[in-house]
Amino acid sequence: FIKDVQTIGTRKYQTLARRSCCLVSRVDERYNKLELNDLLSTSDILSIHCPLNERTLNLIGARELAMMKPHAYLINMGRGAIVIEEDLAKAVDEGVIAGAGIDVFVREPIPEDHPYLKMKHPERMRLAPHVAWAATEARERLVDIMAENISMGW
């Protein structure tokens, strides 16, 4: 989670790390631990990379989005159901937050009637397929692992 967008591109990575905020499950002196409400209200960019479980299901909805700064951006690269998609589409359309970048969806491929595809301001939303695994190195590793599994009789 990036708290202060002004540090991006103007200071070294170490400075960004020191000034960033992360929700962490254990205490780590490198990060400031914040409650979700504090994180939402102080962050310029909220980047989600957590798994979907009972604690993260529908974690971000209309109430949480309303806590964010109007110039804030939400990026969801974790799982689609962490963010309530209808609430995010509405918040971005109405200018509650500045925009969003999404590469995970509750249902993939997304249906033609999905709220993200019906937005009045689609320029505020960036959608991408969840394809981080598709880098050349990742695919080569996948093939190597599959070949090893086959040679071991799996």
Side-chain angles (χ1 to χ4, degrees), residues 64-117:
E64 293 76 20
L65 292 163
M67 292 180 190
M68 296 177 70
K69 297 176 183 180
H71 64 269
Y73 289 86
L74 182 143
I75 300 168
N76 187 6
M77 297 173 71
R79 292 290 177 249
I82 293 169
V83 177
I84 300 172
E85 295 172 328
E86 296 81 10
D87 292 354
L88 178 60
K90 183 177 179 183
V92 171
D93 248 353
E94 294 177 357
V96 174
I97 63 171
I102 306 296
D103 90 334
V104 290
F105 309 93
V106 171
R107 196 168 127 213
E108 295 183 33
I110 61 174
E112 291 181 23
D113 63 343
H114 194 282
Y116 295 159
L117 301 179

Side-chain angles (χ1 to χ4, degrees), residues 120-148:
K120 291 177 254 167
H121 297 284
E123 72 278 5
R124 297 178 186 166
M125 178 76 74
R126 296 291 180 256
L127 306 177
H130 190 60
V131 294
W133 67 270
T136 302
E137 296 84 359
R139 287 182 286 149
E140 288 172 355
R141 182 164 160 69
L142 177 64
V143 169
D144 291 344
I145 291 170
M146 287 177 13
E148 184 178 333

Side-chain angles (χ1 to χ4, degrees), residues 8-79:
I8 297 175
T10 60
R11 302 182 189 201
K12 293 186 179 191
Y13 175 77
Q14 292 86 2
T15 303
L16 176 60
R18 279 196 306 274
R19 295 190 67 194
S20 297
C21 295
C22 293
L23 285 174
V24 293
S25 58
R26 60 179 167 62
V27 176
D28 187 329
E29 64 278 356
R30 294 177 296 167
Y31 303 103
N32 300 318
K33 184 173 181 179
L34 296 176
E35 295 298 324
L36 180 60
N37 293 350
D38 294 330
L39 181 72
L40 293 169
S41 66
T42 60
S43 297
D44 292 320
I45 299 172
L46 178 66
S47 188
I48 301 169
H49 303 268
C50 54
L52 181 63
N53 58 44
E54 65 279 348
R55 292 179 56 208
T56 62
L57 177 65
N58 297 328
L59 179 67
I60 306 294
R63 182 176 95 53
E64 293 76 20
L65 292 163
M67 292 180 190
M68 296 177 70
K69 297 176 183 180
H71 64 269
Y73 289 86
L74 182 143
I75 300 168
N76 187 6
M77 297 173 71
R79 292 290 177 249

